[in-house]
Amino acid sequence: MGASQAVRTFSPSSTSVGTRSCRVLAGPASRRASRALAAPSPPRAVASSRAPLVVSSPPPPAAGSGPPAPGSAHAKVDRSGRFCSPRAARELALMISYAACLEGADVVRLFDRRISARREPGYVFDKTCLLSYNHMSFGGGPLEVGTEEEAEKLTNQNEKDSANEAEVLSAPPKLVYNNFVLRLSRELLVAVASGWDKHVDIIDKIIPQAWKDEPVARILELCILHIAMAEMTSKGTPHKVVINEAVDLAKRFCDGGAPRVINGCLRTFVKDHIDTAGTSQAAVSKA
């Protein structure tokens, strides 16, 4: 399979993407998303019983800090208790794009299907979990702790956060996101679908060869690139804002050097394919 052909397997309507794509979710933060969108993640475990112990988990909140209050910088909820920030819209768009690739479905149709899906009888969503959800919780390297007690505390906190995030990501969107977020997310997905083929050709030229060699393992990263490129070319959002948001999504849901690579790819995209007015150069040339 050539590089260009490999990248094209990420079409939202492609049926060639199987469940093995789930291995893209390998980091602490990304494994949380896999519980809502793919197979359940394996439990995290302490690597050794000898000091220092290593736990692959981000640090827990400071003691006594408690969950963020409504309207805080982390929660971003409105008076109805739903997420209301553009960050939430981009995250939702990413979740739908990733799920669409796994299912071989059209991104917009999948979004509409999830929005209109009926709740299961007896299902109750506890909105308090939204207050503990942190859009800025980034994964990181293993942490060293000195005792079994500290390791157990970190592991328990990580499992608690994972369960909370899985509850949020798998809940019916109308219970989690307000109308602004749902509208913006759908607009992004419409732009992703309409610009997919054009952006595939560009992505094929700017991503590392390693990503071309293992495309199925990079579905999440490529979805981030597609969403960012679609937003820059269709919404007119400032380039720096879009790039920063894409890098944050990569920090949250991807592993290794993905944030750095995505940052470089999008800067190249802006330099070579977007003019100073924020318009796609390809669109200008056609006009």
Side-chain angles (χ1 to χ4, degrees), residues 18 20 25 59 146-147 240 242 261 268 270:
R20 52 197 184 93
L25 298 177
T147 66
K240 290 184 178 180
V242 176
V261 174
T268 299
V270 170

Side-chain angles (χ1 to χ4, degrees), residues 37 95-96 99 103 109-117 173:
L37 300 179
M95 297 298 102
I96 296 295
E103 296 181 18
R109 290 182 180 178
L110 178 59
F111 177 87
D112 291 341
R113 190 166 76 241
R114 290 200 174 184
I115 292 297
S116 59

Side-chain angles (χ1 to χ4, degrees), residues 55-208:
V55 179
S56 181
S57 164
S65 60
S72 71
H74 285 171
K76 296 290 185 182
V77 296
D78 62 10
R79 293 181 179 180
S80 70
R82 294 177 174 86
F83 289 144
C84 59
S85 68
R87 168 65 60 88
R90 296 183 183 98
E91 187 176 279
L92 176 59
L94 176 60
M95 297 298 102
I96 296 295
S97 296
Y98 176 72
C101 286
L102 293 183
E103 296 181 18
D106 177 82
V107 289
V108 180
R109 290 182 180 178
L110 178 59
F111 177 87
D112 291 341
R113 190 166 76 241
R114 290 200 174 184
I115 292 297
S116 59
R118 294 182 179 180
R119 285 179 252 170
E120 297 180 4
Y123 174 80
V124 177
F125 178 66
D126 184 5
K127 283 191 176 182
T128 58
C129 65
L130 298 181
L131 302 180
S132 300
Y133 188 92
N134 185 0
H135 293 292
M136 301 295 290
S137 175
F138 302 140
L143 300 176
E144 293 188 357
V145 294
T147 66
E148 289 280 1
E149 290 75 14
E150 293 178 3
E152 183 177 1
K153 182 178 179 180
L154 284 174
T155 301
N156 290 340
Q157 181 65 47
N158 191 58
E159 288 300 321
K160 182 178 179 181
D161 292 341
S162 297
N164 184 79
E165 294 187 6
E167 177 71 13
V168 171
L169 294 175
S170 61
K174 285 187 177 180
L175 299 180
V176 177
Y177 309 97
N178 70 1
N179 290 334
F180 163 76
V181 171
L182 295 176
R183 183 173 63 253
L184 176 56
S185 183
R186 192 180 191 282
E187 290 174 356
L188 290 174
L189 292 174
V190 169
V192 166
S194 63
W196 188 276
D197 290 338
K198 177 180 66 178
H199 291 153
V200 159
D201 292 333
I202 297 174
I203 289 173
D204 181 50
K205 297 176 182 178
I206 62 179
I207 61 174

Side-chain angles (χ1 to χ4, degrees), residues 7-41:
V7 176
R8 287 186 183 278
T9 62
F10 297 103
S11 171
S13 59
S14 170
T15 58
S16 62
V17 180
T19 54
R20 52 197 184 93
S21 336
C22 298
R23 63 194 179 98
V24 72
L25 298 177
S30 55
R31 278 199 294 262
R32 300 171 186 169
S34 69
R35 295 190 175 188
L37 300 179
S41 61

Side-chain angles (χ1 to χ4, degrees), residues 191-272:
V192 166
S194 63
W196 188 276
D197 290 338
K198 177 180 66 178
H199 291 153
V200 159
D201 292 333
I202 297 174
I203 289 173
D204 181 50
K205 297 176 182 178
I206 62 179
I207 61 174
Q209 184 62 45
W211 287 20
K212 300 178 187 179
D213 294 339
E214 52 173 8
V216 176
R218 296 297 176 180
I219 294 178
L220 201 59
E221 288 88 340
L222 298 185
C223 284
I224 293 175
L225 288 175
H226 274 285
I227 291 170
M229 290 178 179
E231 182 172 0
M232 281 191 278
T233 55
S234 68
K235 301 294 293 180
T237 310
H239 306 151
K240 290 184 178 180
V241 172
V242 176
I243 293 175
N244 288 340
E245 290 290 303
V247 170
D248 281 350
L249 285 175
K251 289 179 181 178
R252 181 153 172 72
F253 295 110
C254 305
D255 285 328
R260 175 180 53 81
V261 174
I262 285 175
N263 178 69
C265 288
L266 291 178
R267 290 185 181 278
T268 299
F269 174 70
V270 170
K271 177 182 176 182
D272 296 343

